[in-house]
């Protein structure tokens, strides 16, 4: 008796459905949170540019910038974060890579502005760290197509 021994393609390693759903949900949450943080950074930037006395003035802070400069930094960063959030929500690979990079930059920018807005900076830093984790651990977009694999 002869057996059919045609070679078959190797099967990819299986991941648990729960882990995949968690990672995909985390990526969606990351995209939405980046959109929210980007919009709020734009608002914060406009407020800093329009009127310097909106934020508390700090004495001798090592990373001291003029509040108008902080306004421009947050306005520009906010616009770029909103555009990146769009890329993440569309499932593009560039959005994912830019999201990780911008979340790291956003964390640094808010660390430097801790004395001006401590609670908002801490909250934004925590969300940015979650965004980095969510985008770095979601492997459903790997493969170059930019679309989630089922």
């Amino acid at each position: 008796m002869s057996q059919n021994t045609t070679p078959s393609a190797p099967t990819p390693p299986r991941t648990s459905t729960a882990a995949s759903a968690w990672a995909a949900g985390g990526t969606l949450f990351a995209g939405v949170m980046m959109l929210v943080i980007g919009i709020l950074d734009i608002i914060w930037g406009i407020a800093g540019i329009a009127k310097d006395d909106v934020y508390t003035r700090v004495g001798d802070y090592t990373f001291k910038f003029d509040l108008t400069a902080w306004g421009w930094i947050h306005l520009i960063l906010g616009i770029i974060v909103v555009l990146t959030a769009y890329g993440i929500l569309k499932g593009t690979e560039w959005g994912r890579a830019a999201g990780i990079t911008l979340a790291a930059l956003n964390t640094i920018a808010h660390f430097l502005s801790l004395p001006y807005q401590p609670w908002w900076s801490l909250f934004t830093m925590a969300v940015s760290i979650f965004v980095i984790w969510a985008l770095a651990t979601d492997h459903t977009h790997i493969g170059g197509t930019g679309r989630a694999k089922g």
Side-chain angles (χ1 to χ4, degrees):
M1 221 178 228
S2 122
Q3 293 181 356
N4 187 1
T5 58
T6 56
S8 62
T11 57
R14 293 183 181 212
T15 58
S16 73
T17 305
S20 296
W22 175 256
T27 300
L28 176 63
F29 183 76
V32 171
M33 288 309 297
M34 282 198 69
L35 182 65
V36 170
I37 287 174
I39 291 169
L40 291 174
D41 272 353
I42 290 170
I43 292 168
W44 189 21
I46 291 169
I49 293 166
K51 194 158 178 128
D52 275 357
D53 61 355
V54 172
Y55 300 106
T56 306
R57 295 213 179 264
V58 179
D60 291 330
Y61 179 50
T62 305
F63 302 108
K64 185 177 179 183
F65 286 105
D66 178 64
L67 288 175
T68 303
W70 275 119
W72 280 107
I73 290 168
H74 284 284
L75 177 65
I76 293 167
L77 188 59
I79 291 168
I80 296 170
V81 168
V82 166
L83 294 173
T84 301
Y86 175 78
I88 292 168
L89 293 173
K90 292 298 274 181
T92 63
E93 191 62 32
W94 69 262
R96 189 168 167 247
I100 292 170
T101 303
L102 285 172
L105 288 174
N106 202 36
T107 302
I108 293 167
H110 282 281
F111 175 78
L112 294 175
S113 63
L114 264 169
Y116 301 105
Q117 289 291 328
W119 291 109
W120 171 245
S121 293
L122 288 173
F123 170 75
T124 304
M125 289 167 50
V127 170
S128 294
I129 290 168
F130 174 79
V131 166
I132 293 168
W133 172 83
L135 295 176
T137 58
D138 181 11
H139 299 292
T140 59
H141 293 86
I142 293 177
T145 62
R147 293 187 178 162
K149 293 182 179 181

